[in-house]
Amino acid sequence: LVTMRPPSEEAAYHPFENRLFDEALKYAACQPNTFVVLLPRTPKQRQRFEALNLPNLLMPNSVVDGPSLIYYSDLVIGGGGTMNREARVFGTPVYTMFKGMLGSVDTYLIQSGQMSRIETEADIPRIRLSKKPQTVFSSQSETGQLLIREIVDKILEVR
């Protein structure tokens, strides 16, 4: 189960299209034994992705419980943003395709090997489509506390 969230194309921090995401979507949705849940940001994106007519692709028509979807996903591929960071917190492998200036938390997650970055089409085949190990996330666990502390430290570092 792969959850995918395209990049914003209208936000001030990312006001351009990222067709690399479309290629990654085609790659993931056409793999055997892979099911993609795509969460488009706008009706325009939904129309563009529907026109691709890809197998193994679902675009929900209503709001979904994002944190639960991320937790139960085997992989998250995002155009940047909160869902990518949530995936890391839940122990779900994550790839980012954000083309704008990376924030300090994302930079840290990439540098520490906790998030991977796809920058070119040549990087797409290295996306690892496999079942994730079963993990139970708890913010009360030692691992959960350590991760939360690391993320908060990175946020406060910017100040």
Side-chain angles (χ1 to χ4, degrees), residues 12 29 32 38 52 66 70 73 115 117:
L38 176 64
L52 295 175
I70 292 167
S73 292
M115 179 165 41
R117 190 168 190 193

Side-chain angles (χ1 to χ4, degrees), residues 8-132:
S8 173
E9 296 169 354
E10 299 171 359
Y13 63 88
H14 196 277
F16 45 85
E17 288 186 0
N18 180 349
R19 293 298 177 162
L20 184 60
F21 182 87
D22 297 28
E23 294 307 311
L25 173 62
K26 291 174 191 174
Y27 172 78
C30 292
Q31 298 300 313
N33 303 315
T34 301
F35 187 79
V36 176
V37 176
L38 176 64
L39 304 171
R41 294 174 183 263
T42 64
K44 180 180 169 185
Q45 282 184 338
R46 176 179 287 279
Q47 289 176 342
R48 185 172 87 229
F49 295 130
E50 283 174 345
L52 295 175
N53 198 30
L54 297 171
N56 307 324
L57 177 65
L58 170 70
M59 284 188 282
N61 290 317
S62 60
V63 175
V64 297
D65 175 358
S68 292
L69 177 61
I70 292 167
Y71 178 81
Y72 288 107
S73 292
D74 296 300
L75 175 67
V76 170
I77 301 172
T82 304
M83 288 186 79
N84 287 355
R85 294 175 208 113
E86 288 173 335
R88 176 56 199 110
V89 169
F90 289 130
T92 302
V94 59
Y95 290 84
T96 184
M97 300 182 132
F98 186 69
K99 288 291 191 183
M101 189 167 105
L102 287 175
S104 60
V105 172
D106 289 351
T107 299
Y108 168 76
L109 292 173
I110 292 166
Q111 289 175 347
S112 64
Q114 298 178 66
M115 179 165 41
S116 299
R117 190 168 190 193
I118 301 298
E119 299 182 80
T120 68
E121 270 193 61
D123 295 333
I124 291 173
R126 75 177 176 88
I127 295 173
R128 192 162 176 240
L129 298 169
S130 63
K131 297 293 284 177
K132 77 174 178 181

